Amino acid sequence: MASKHPFLQYLTLVLTLLLRGVFAADPPAPFEVKWASESFGFDGPWNAVKTTIGDYYYSSNLSLFPGAFWETWVISDEQCNQNSPDGCYASKAGLYDEDTSAKEGSGSDLEIRLESSLDIYQQGLEVVGEDPKRWTDSLSLGDSAEEDPVIYNVSLNLLTTQKMQYPGGQTYPLSAGCFSLGAPNVNHSFTMNDGSPSINASIVSGNLWEKGRTPSNSFGMHVGSASPRDMSGSLWFGGYDGNRVAGPVLSVDGTFRDGFSLDDISIEVVNGSSPFDFESQDGLLSEGNSTIIGSLGVQIDGCSPYLTLPKSTCDNIARHLPVNFDEDLGLYLWDIKSPSYKDIVSSASVLAFSFTTDSNAVSIKINVPFRHLNLTLTSPLVDDPTPYFPCYVGGHGTYVLGRAFLQDAFLGANWGLERPRTFLAQAPGPNIQALPRRIAIAEDTDRLEDGKNDWKASWEGMWDYSGNGGGNKIDPEPAPPNDEGLSTGAKAGIGVGASVGALAIFGALIWLCLRRRKNRSVQSEADPAVSQIPSDGKPPENRFTLQSEYTTQSGLSPRGEYASEMPTREANDVSTRHELGDTRRDEAMELA
Ligand SMILES: *[C@@H]1O[C@H](CO)[C@@H](O)[C@H](O)[C@H]1NC(C)=O
Ligand SMILES: *[C@@H]1O[C@H](CO)[C@@H](O)[C@H](O)[C@H]1NC(C)=O
Ligand SMILES: *[C@@H]1O[C@H](CO)[C@@H](O)[C@H](O)[C@H]1NC(C)=O
């Protein structure tokens, strides 16, 4: 500004240069993915992340449910090009146009001519039809291929004319694709059958880390919920939002597709009077089914909508609820005329899922309030909007906790360890701090700290304690959990002020340190007072977090090696190789 005093200008310049110097040496920070403002699905509503697929000239905006393993699944315009009497339901979330795109410069096709299989798509609800097409294209994390970070040659599977199939045999079109949360490798490498050079496709999580944009090949997610109150999702690569964890975190070897041991399911009243004739009822998982001994292996899959469980388990739960089983859909419809329907779905009661660790040392319970289990079926599944309870008895024999469960669970993984680790915890309800508490996952992180959010407080104002549902009140402006008695706005202001001040001081300190120990790696200790950095939409390279230890890019530790087996039922002859940075590994991944 022309009116500025020369000294101020000078000071600004010095500060800018100083900060720039600091940021250049800055370790990578966790990267936050953007979410669509709308919700999607014929059985939700469900939150989805925003992506743009395609290059600068031919790109499509697609909202995708986050939850896939290895490749990202996108619905192509072929779903709608066949003049189907179903109408074009998937267009709401966006369709991929496979004809307009050609690999820039090379003019070559984006298709990878290797077989793929629907068996590796959503695990909790059958999808039928032709094999999906393996594909690569660029993907930006956001709604602009110009402004948001772009990852090139991303491993995709195109869904063309496939349909969802329910137990009655009826089929319906798809609603939205599914975004990959990563894989225990950086790349998806395909060996061609015809001897042509192998193709390397990128996986977003691995690519962000490999390019030095995140501290590790990892993610942390809470998908939030769209109803009865909108609570936006949270998905970070290389870290997570600590506010999305309420209580201890279960940490297990393997991936979310390898399975967790589900010990039990119970119905519990957590506050107020009970809308049931009990305060808690456990044993619902295995009651009346002698083949379920101890626990049941379940996958967690954000691509699938329901709680896909044995019929005996769903029936055990349903026995306590005013629901009617719909045989064709394999789902339970709420009996909205029953007086206890409203009581239950507005009460402070939950369906609780108990899990144990591999070491059996820790067990956790994830509470899914009945408030979140009053979901809605819409066209084309039913003619008129119909409230339903999401226990599902179809699928292909795999038991799966899908998006209905993920409304209330924090899920994360560190893919880069020798054996990948998966993290599972209770996620809070709608009342949480306005600013994310960004926590980095370091390359060697194999467990996460307990979440400090009070789960009950996070649901305050959302329950009806009377047990007679009559009120069905939702407090329009519930107080945030008051740790320091400050309003969210005041805290945000203080957070920003403190961050800016701390940033300047810290910047100067780092700069001094850097000058002294030039080639050594920067490590910073956690300081909760300055860890609340606002989500300000700035590109990640301009942010830094003080939450965890970092090593600089030059000091990357050796990457973990891990051979994975994909969960498929049929063998197919796709030979997939994983490439780990410079060390090429030629072992074929087993798809059997
Ligand atoms: C994408 O793949 C093509 C060929 O398969 C290659 O020529 C190009 O360099 C790749 N782009 C990036 C950014 O890796
Ligand atoms: C009992 O559980 C097994 C899984 O352990 C399942 O295959 C079977 O269908 C269940 N029985 C009923 C009646 O749901
Ligand atoms: C249950 O869901 C329906 C929509 O399917 C909605 O109209 C109703 O208000 C919900 N009930 C409660 C108590 O939230």
Side-chain angles (χ1 to χ4, degrees), residues 32 52 112 196 274 508:
E32 186 178 18
T52 302
I112 301 176
S196 56
S274 174

mmCIF file with all atom_site columns, all heavy atoms in Angstrom, residues 32 52 112 196 274 508:
data_model
loop_
_atom_site.group_PDB
_atom_site.id
_atom_site.type_symbol
_atom_site.label_atom_id
_atom_site.label_alt_id
_atom_site.label_comp_id
_atom_site.label_asym_id
_atom_site.label_entity_id
_atom_site.label_seq_id
_atom_site.pdbx_PDB_ins_code
_atom_site.Cartn_x
_atom_site.Cartn_y
_atom_site.Cartn_z
_atom_site.occupancy
_atom_site.B_iso_or_equiv
_atom_site.pdbx_formal_charge
_atom_site.auth_seq_id
_atom_site.auth_comp_id
_atom_site.auth_asym_id
_atom_site.auth_atom_id
_atom_site.pdbx_PDB_model_num
ATOM 1  N N   . GLU A 1 32  ? -6.484  -31.772 4.166   1.00 0.00 ? 32  GLU A N   1
ATOM 2  C CA  . GLU A 1 32  ? -7.926  -31.930 4.398   1.00 0.00 ? 32  GLU A CA  1
ATOM 3  C C   . GLU A 1 32  ? -8.696  -31.985 3.082   1.00 0.00 ? 32  GLU A C   1
ATOM 4  O O   . GLU A 1 32  ? -8.524  -31.142 2.210   1.00 0.00 ? 32  GLU A O   1
ATOM 5  C CB  . GLU A 1 32  ? -8.443  -30.756 5.233   1.00 0.00 ? 32  GLU A CB  1
ATOM 6  C CG  . GLU A 1 32  ? -9.891  -30.929 5.642   1.00 0.00 ? 32  GLU A CG  1
ATOM 7  C CD  . GLU A 1 32  ? -10.410 -29.797 6.519   1.00 0.00 ? 32  GLU A CD  1
ATOM 8  O OE1 . GLU A 1 32  ? -9.775  -28.723 6.540   1.00 0.00 ? 32  GLU A OE1 1
ATOM 9  O OE2 . GLU A 1 32  ? -11.460 -30.012 7.152   1.00 0.00 ? 32  GLU A OE2 1
ATOM 10 N N   . THR A 1 52  ? -12.844 -33.718 -8.696  1.00 0.00 ? 52  THR A N   1
ATOM 11 C CA  . THR A 1 52  ? -12.976 -33.370 -10.104 1.00 0.00 ? 52  THR A CA  1
ATOM 12 C C   . THR A 1 52  ? -12.103 -34.349 -10.854 1.00 0.00 ? 52  THR A C   1
ATOM 13 O O   . THR A 1 52  ? -10.912 -34.500 -10.535 1.00 0.00 ? 52  THR A O   1
ATOM 14 C CB  . THR A 1 52  ? -12.515 -31.928 -10.357 1.00 0.00 ? 52  THR A CB  1
ATOM 15 O OG1 . THR A 1 52  ? -13.309 -31.073 -9.538  1.00 0.00 ? 52  THR A OG1 1
ATOM 16 C CG2 . THR A 1 52  ? -12.686 -31.549 -11.813 1.00 0.00 ? 52  THR A CG2 1
ATOM 17 N N   . ILE A 1 112 ? -7.208  -49.157 -18.934 1.00 0.00 ? 112 ILE A N   1
ATOM 18 C CA  . ILE A 1 112 ? -6.181  -50.169 -18.702 1.00 0.00 ? 112 ILE A CA  1
ATOM 19 C C   . ILE A 1 112 ? -6.828  -51.484 -19.091 1.00 0.00 ? 112 ILE A C   1
ATOM 20 O O   . ILE A 1 112 ? -7.808  -51.905 -18.475 1.00 0.00 ? 112 ILE A O   1
ATOM 21 C CB  . ILE A 1 112 ? -5.752  -50.211 -17.222 1.00 0.00 ? 112 ILE A CB  1
ATOM 22 C CG1 . ILE A 1 112 ? -5.212  -48.849 -16.786 1.00 0.00 ? 112 ILE A CG1 1
ATOM 23 C CG2 . ILE A 1 112 ? -4.715  -51.302 -17.002 1.00 0.00 ? 112 ILE A CG2 1
ATOM 24 C CD1 . ILE A 1 112 ? -4.867  -48.786 -15.300 1.00 0.00 ? 112 ILE A CD1 1
ATOM 25 N N   . SER A 1 196 ? 3.485   -55.445 -23.211 1.00 0.00 ? 196 SER A N   1
ATOM 26 C CA  . SER A 1 196 ? 3.745   -54.006 -23.272 1.00 0.00 ? 196 SER A CA  1
ATOM 27 C C   . SER A 1 196 ? 4.123   -53.513 -21.867 1.00 0.00 ? 196 SER A C   1
ATOM 28 O O   . SER A 1 196 ? 3.892   -54.217 -20.884 1.00 0.00 ? 196 SER A O   1
ATOM 29 C CB  . SER A 1 196 ? 2.525   -53.271 -23.826 1.00 0.00 ? 196 SER A CB  1
ATOM 30 O OG  . SER A 1 196 ? 1.387   -53.553 -23.063 1.00 0.00 ? 196 SER A OG  1
ATOM 31 N N   . SER A 1 274 ? -36.374 -44.726 29.552  1.00 0.00 ? 274 SER A N   1
ATOM 32 C CA  . SER A 1 274 ? -36.220 -45.677 28.453  1.00 0.00 ? 274 SER A CA  1
ATOM 33 C C   . SER A 1 274 ? -37.485 -45.791 27.612  1.00 0.00 ? 274 SER A C   1
ATOM 34 O O   . SER A 1 274 ? -38.582 -45.919 28.157  1.00 0.00 ? 274 SER A O   1
ATOM 35 C CB  . SER A 1 274 ? -35.873 -47.052 29.031  1.00 0.00 ? 274 SER A CB  1
ATOM 36 O OG  . SER A 1 274 ? -35.860 -48.002 27.990  1.00 0.00 ? 274 SER A OG  1
ATOM 37 N N   . ALA A 1 508 ? 10.187  -17.277 13.691  1.00 0.00 ? 508 ALA A N   1
ATOM 38 C CA  . ALA A 1 508 ? 11.492  -16.676 13.948  1.00 0.00 ? 508 ALA A CA  1
ATOM 39 C C   . ALA A 1 508 ? 12.410  -17.688 14.617  1.00 0.00 ? 508 ALA A C   1
ATOM 40 O O   . ALA A 1 508 ? 13.589  -17.822 14.253  1.00 0.00 ? 508 ALA A O   1
ATOM 41 C CB  . ALA A 1 508 ? 11.323  -15.441 14.824  1.00 0.00 ? 508 ALA A CB  1
#
